[in-house]
Amino acid sequence: MKFWTLLLVLTALVLRAQTEPLVIVVHGVGGGNREDGWSDDIAKKWRLPCEEVTFRLPGRNESVSTLDFARECDTLARSVQDQMKRIVTANPGRRVIVVSHSWGTVVTK
């Protein structure tokens, strides 16, 4: 009886891992360059696997003019899109929940 119970529990865990959604979080421009791991709180609260998409903007910790940002936005948008494609490709068939903020929403769209 214990064997079958263990087998059932292990099967349920494997099926859950295959069907639970993956959360991808994308930050906005404000708030400075974030260190890797900034999305850990979301993963802990939601108890779901979480991947973060981030980008680095030189001088982002200082005030940046719109013109400075405009010069880099194409490169940054492509970086975000490439990171998202890599994550989704590595998780075929898995449902994805995207949590994004501000400019992160624009490039995700």
Side-chain angles (χ1 to χ4, degrees), residues 60-77:
R60 190 162 162 223
N61 292 327
E62 304 161 7
S63 92
V64 178
S65 75
T66 305
L67 185 57
D68 292 337
F69 177 72
R71 288 184 187 121
E72 298 291 328
C73 68
D74 181 51
T75 302
L76 297 172

Side-chain angles (χ1 to χ4, degrees), residues 16 20 23 25 37-50 97 99:
R16 179 176 181 215
E20 76 183 355
V23 177
V25 291
W38 61 269
S39 65
D40 290 345
D41 287 343
I42 293 171
K44 288 176 188 171
K45 287 178 185 173
W46 289 10
R47 297 181 185 161
L48 289 172
C50 187
I97 297 171
V99 178

